[in-house]
Amino acid sequence: MQIISSKDNEQIKAIKKLKEKKYRDETNEYIVEGIKLVKEAIEEKVNIKTIVICEDCEEESLKNATKPNTQIEQGLLYEIAKYECIYVTKKIFNMLSEVQTPQGILAVVEKGDSIENINYSEDIILALDGIQDPGNLGTILRTADSANLKQIILSENSADPYNPKVVRSTMGAIFRMNIIKTENLAKTLQMIKKHKFEIVATSLETNNSIYDITYKKKVIVIGNEANGVSKEIQDLSDEKVKIPMLGKTESLNASVAASILIYEYVREKLM
Amino acid sequence: MQIISSKDNEQIKAIKKLKEKKYRDETNEYIVEGIKLVKEAIEEKVNIKTIVICEDCEEESLKNATKPNTQIEQGLLYEIAKYECIYVTKKIFNMLSEVQTPQGILAVVEKGDSIENINYSEDIILALDGIQDPGNLGTILRTADSANLKQIILSENSADPYNPKVVRSTMGAIFRMNIIKTENLAKTLQMIKKHKFEIVATSLETNNSIYDITYKKKVIVIGNEANGVSKEIQDLSDEKVKIPMLGKTESLNASVAASILIYEYVREKLM
């Protein structure tokens, strides 16, 4: 087994570049880091290109995973062995890693999303119009997955869902979703409308409450952290709704607002 | 007007120490930073001890606030002048500031919360059992304020609500709330129960849904990010509820879970 120790190795250089959005866009690949996330990527059958393992990292958890004692751990080892694995020194691994205490394993994964794959049989499609904080985006994707929403449309100016921070904070949800970044959100929403979906935009300038509408065949649009849903999208929406507030605070964190709406859908679905 | 330029100035040293929780606890004071938050602190009539102004900062926004052109700005100048103001150099201000691009104004404020002040006439008291991420705590306080919930009980192992990151992310909500950190959450909840409140704990081990209960005279307990509500608190609770999920993601971000519960209360209140 060869252990890569040079930062000039072509494969290492290519993986390192995936830390930048530009190269993730170019190659259609991204990085998934940590034992739990790599396991989930395998389970969800995403297209794993390479698994990078730190050969001299001392983390007990990775040792257990690659030199297994239990059946579950043997399972992971067996699974990992199906993919192209490369072994690197701790110095190289730390160069590729984005976290403070790396677990010594990461995978290069192909993005699997495409606008042709929108599933119009679902009740709710989520559209995010300019969500810019990676933490908010990750939290929204995690909440959407908990409600079994799989179709997510992102405007061009949104945070990159394949940013390592977003990937981590989705806690695996990203592997189960169809996340489509569109260059023209308005145009994409017009196209979705033809499939008998109504566009619902959150707005502060309406008396219509989120408790007044039904959650079937709707595209729910969540707006930017500071400015909300853009005027262009407000104008093409079929309904505007606001989250009614009782106190002096007049706006909510974007991921909180999205979650409250998503769980109105869950509520309706279960009632 | 004297401008302090020495980091050895006793008043500056005392303010700098407030960056640490230990000194915030000792002095019962904390730091509020930025034009908007200082304005809100003034409006909400919290006990402001000192206002620190950066004399040679170049931010336009601060110049407008301290050398005002408009009536609103004159109002702020007039308000600021009612308090003890100290003027410092940019170097000193940056030493006190916690943000990357300081706005050149901060205030030292007295904590106003006390367990004797719990208002039992309210419908909902929120209890946080080990919320450790300052961002989550700030978001929960902001959401609670948007629902006009003012009584917040924190367990000893929770993040410090007077941590600058929490203060910022509450966006002013912190000035309107009674936030009580208790050394013994179980004992405090037992005491609150005597005032005819029922304790509702979130739990994964119940079939009771958040949609099945009423939200009146309840203490809603939100648990730690990784481990949920502690066993001790589960045991003394009157009801356990879970947020029903439809997808594979089985847990939600703590601030999302809290927000979904808080908005069930809002929903009931408005229906």
Side-chain angles (χ1 to χ4, degrees):
Chain A
M1 185 179 71
Q2 197 210 336
I3 298 169
I4 300 171
S5 61
S6 163
K7 64 178 173 48
D8 298 323
N9 177 290
E10 289 303 323
Q11 205 171 3
I12 298 302
K13 276 159 72 181
I15 297 171
K16 194 182 166 207
K17 279 185 174 172
L18 294 178
K19 289 179 156 193
E20 290 168 56
K21 179 177 179 300
K22 186 181 152 195
Y23 291 100
R24 293 194 294 268
D25 287 348
E26 254 180 49
T27 59
N28 212 32
E29 294 173 347
Y30 65 105
I31 295 175
V32 167
E33 184 168 355
I35 295 172
K36 221 176 146 204
L37 273 182
V38 172
K39 265 189 188 171
E40 282 229 51
I42 292 171
E43 279 168 19
E44 298 292 341
K45 303 193 186 343
V46 299
N47 188 2
I48 296 176
K49 299 288 190 143
T50 312
I51 293 179
V52 181
I53 296 169
C54 176
E55 203 21 52
D56 55 354
C57 287
E58 280 145 34
E59 281 67 27
E60 272 314 306
S61 48
L62 181 69
K63 274 199 188 152
N64 288 342
T66 55
K67 300 171 184 80
N69 290 313
T70 70
Q71 217 166 349
I72 297 164
E73 286 160 8
Q74 270 172 353
L76 178 65
L77 183 64
Y78 176 73
E79 291 294 339
I80 286 174
K82 291 184 194 165
Y83 302 92
E84 186 204 353
C85 289
I86 62 174
Y87 295 83
V88 303
T89 60
K90 191 169 180 174
K91 201 178 130 199
I92 297 295
F93 195 90
N94 287 347
M95 204 179 79
L96 301 178
S97 170
E98 288 269 357
V99 300
Q100 281 193 328
T101 51
Q103 291 183 317
I105 186 166
L106 61 81
V108 175
V109 168
E110 190 182 52
K111 303 181 191 174
D113 311 308
S114 137
I115 198 154
E116 284 79 41
N117 296 340
I118 297 183
N119 181 350
Y120 295 105
S121 74
E122 299 206 350
D123 286 332
I124 301 289
I125 294 171
L126 205 60
L128 306 179
D129 185 12
I131 295 290
Q132 296 195 322
D133 178 76
N136 279 342
L137 179 56
T139 301
I140 292 172
L141 296 179
R142 181 177 169 195
T143 308
D145 187 53
S146 81
N148 213 21
L149 304 183
K150 304 288 188 211
Q151 316 302 318
I152 316 288
I153 318 287
L154 300 182
S155 64
E156 179 64 28
N157 61 342
S158 300
D160 181 21
Y162 303 102
N163 169 320
K165 197 182 164 192
V166 177
V167 173
R168 269 199 310 284
S169 64
T170 68
M171 300 184 87
I174 199 164
F175 306 133
R176 294 185 283 273
M177 312 187 110
N178 188 25
I179 303 168
I180 296 146
K181 195 161 205 170
T182 167
E183 278 175 28
N184 188 330
L185 181 60
K187 218 169 129 185
T188 304
L189 292 181
Q190 294 286 14
M191 189 265 288
I192 295 174
K193 275 176 96 160
K194 291 182 190 149
H195 293 263
K196 295 188 179 149
F197 273 78
E198 282 184 346
I199 313 295
V200 178
T202 48
S203 165
L204 294 174
E205 287 153 23
T206 174
N207 291 319
N208 218 15
S209 143
I210 60 164
Y211 305 126
D212 296 334
I213 65 166
T214 59
Y215 292 85
K216 208 168 167 82
K217 296 295 160 197
K218 298 280 161 81
V219 179
I220 296 174
V221 190
I222 303 293
N224 168 272
E225 285 87 348
N227 307 315
V229 175
S230 59
K231 189 171 178 307
E232 187 186 15
I233 305 299
Q234 296 275 4
D235 288 347
L236 69 80
S237 67
D238 299 289
E239 281 181 300
K240 288 173 194 164
V241 293
K242 74 168 171 195
I243 298 176
M245 295 183 203
L246 306 174
K248 205 176 163 193
T249 288
E250 284 169 346
S251 75
L252 293 167
N253 169 289
S255 68
V256 165
S259 302
I260 292 170
L261 272 151
I262 290 169
Y263 271 79
E264 275 310 297
Y265 156 70
V266 172
R267 188 182 210 287
E268 184 180 299
K269 188 95 180 166
L270 293 174
M271 289 292 133
Chain B
M1 183 180 69
Q2 198 207 334
I3 298 169
I4 301 172
S5 61
S6 163
K7 66 180 171 48
D8 298 323
N9 176 290
E10 288 304 322
Q11 206 171 1
I12 298 301
K13 276 158 72 180
I15 296 171
K16 194 182 167 208
K17 280 184 174 172
L18 293 178
K19 288 179 158 194
E20 291 169 54
K21 177 175 181 299
K22 187 182 151 195
Y23 291 100
R24 292 194 294 268
D25 287 348
E26 255 180 48
T27 57
N28 212 31
E29 294 173 348
Y30 65 104
I31 294 175
V32 167
E33 184 169 357
I35 295 172
K36 220 175 147 203
L37 272 182
V38 171
K39 265 189 189 172
E40 281 230 50
I42 292 171
E43 279 167 19
E44 297 292 341
K45 302 191 188 346
V46 300
N47 188 359
I48 296 175
K49 299 289 192 140
T50 312
I51 293 179
V52 181
I53 296 169
C54 176
E55 203 21 50
D56 55 356
C57 287
E58 280 146 34
E59 280 67 28
E60 271 315 304
S61 48
L62 181 69
K63 273 199 187 151
N64 288 341
T66 56
K67 300 174 183 78
N69 290 314
T70 70
Q71 219 165 348
I72 297 164
E73 286 159 8
Q74 269 173 355
L76 177 65
L77 182 65
Y78 176 74
E79 290 296 336
I80 286 174
K82 289 183 191 165
Y83 301 92
E84 187 204 353
C85 290
I86 62 175
Y87 295 83
V88 303
T89 59
K90 192 169 181 175
K91 201 177 130 201
I92 297 296
F93 195 90
N94 287 346
M95 204 180 78
L96 302 177
S97 171
E98 289 269 358
V99 299
Q100 280 193 328
T101 50
Q103 293 184 316
I105 186 164
L106 62 81
V108 175
V109 168
E110 190 181 51
K111 302 180 191 175
D113 310 309
S114 138
I115 198 155
E116 283 80 39
N117 296 341
I118 297 183
N119 181 350
Y120 294 104
S121 73
E122 299 205 352
D123 286 331
I124 300 289
I125 295 171
L126 205 61
L128 307 179
D129 185 12
I131 294 291
Q132 297 195 322
D133 178 75
N136 280 341
L137 179 56
T139 301
I140 292 173
L141 296 179
R142 180 178 170 194
T143 308
D145 186 54
S146 80
N148 213 21
L149 304 183
K150 304 287 187 210
Q151 316 301 317
I152 316 287
I153 318 288
L154 300 183
S155 65
E156 181 62 28
N157 61 343
S158 300
D160 181 22
Y162 303 102
N163 169 320
K165 197 183 163 191
V166 178
V167 172
R168 268 199 310 283
S169 63
T170 68
M171 300 187 86
I174 198 164
F175 306 133
R176 294 185 283 274
M177 312 187 110
N178 188 24
I179 303 168
I180 296 145
K181 195 160 206 170
T182 169
E183 279 175 27
N184 188 330
L185 180 60
K187 220 169 127 184
T188 303
L189 293 181
Q190 294 287 14
M191 189 264 288
I192 295 173
K193 276 175 98 161
K194 291 183 189 147
H195 294 263
K196 297 189 177 148
F197 274 78
E198 282 184 347
I199 313 296
V200 179
T202 48
S203 166
L204 294 175
E205 287 152 24
T206 175
N207 291 320
N208 217 15
S209 143
I210 60 164
Y211 305 127
D212 296 334
I213 66 167
T214 59
Y215 292 84
K216 209 170 167 81
K217 295 295 161 198
K218 298 279 161 80
V219 179
I220 296 174
V221 189
I222 303 293
N224 168 273
E225 285 87 348
N227 307 313
V229 175
S230 59
K231 190 173 176 307
E232 188 186 13
I233 305 299
Q234 296 274 4
D235 288 347
L236 69 79
S237 67
D238 300 288
E239 282 180 300
K240 288 172 193 165
V241 292
K242 75 169 171 196
I243 298 175
M245 294 181 203
L246 306 175
K248 206 176 163 191
T249 288
E250 283 169 346
S251 75
L252 293 168
N253 169 288
S255 68
V256 166
S259 302
I260 291 169
L261 271 152
I262 289 169
Y263 272 80
E264 276 309 299
Y265 155 71
V266 172
R267 189 183 208 286
E268 185 179 299
K269 189 91 179 170
L270 292 174
M271 288 290 133

